[in-house]
Amino acid sequence: VISPEGCSSILWRSNDFSQKAAESLKLTAQDCLKNKIIDSVIEEVDGGAHRFPEDQAIILKNEIINSINNLKNLSIEKRKKIRNEKFLNITSEI
C-alpha cells in the first residue's frame, strides 16, 4: 500500500506524476465508484473548492445529510450487509 505521491516519487523520482500513479493504482474517484468502494462522487463547485470553500462546504453538508437520511431508512441488518459488501469489494480489487 502506497500513496500516489509515494508511488510517483519511487517510479519517476518526482511527485509530478501522482495523478498518473493514482490512475495506475486504481485510486481515482471514478475507479472507486466503478468498483463499488464508494457510494457516490461529490462534484466540486465551479472554480474549485480551494477558491470557494464555503460553497463547497454547503454542497458537502447537503450530501452528508442526504446520505444519513438514506441510511436511517435501512435496517441495521441491511446497513451491515452493505458495509460488508463494500469491504469485500475493496479486498477483491487489491
Side-chain angles (χ1 to χ4, degrees), residues 42-59:
I42 299 173
E43 295 300 321
E44 186 174 18
V45 68
D46 289 337
H50 64 290
R51 292 184 61 213
F52 304 102
E54 293 86 7
D55 294 340
Q56 189 67 51
I58 291 168
I59 293 170

Side-chain angles (χ1 to χ4, degrees), residues 14-42:
S14 168
N15 285 341
D16 296 338
F17 299 96
S18 59
Q19 180 63 35
K20 184 175 181 177
E23 291 167 3
S24 298
L25 294 167
K26 304 285 186 201
L27 294 178
T28 66
Q30 294 307 316
D31 288 325
C32 291
L33 186 63
K34 183 180 119 197
N35 293 322
K36 299 179 183 173
I37 295 170
I38 61 174
D39 297 322
S40 65
V41 176
I42 299 173

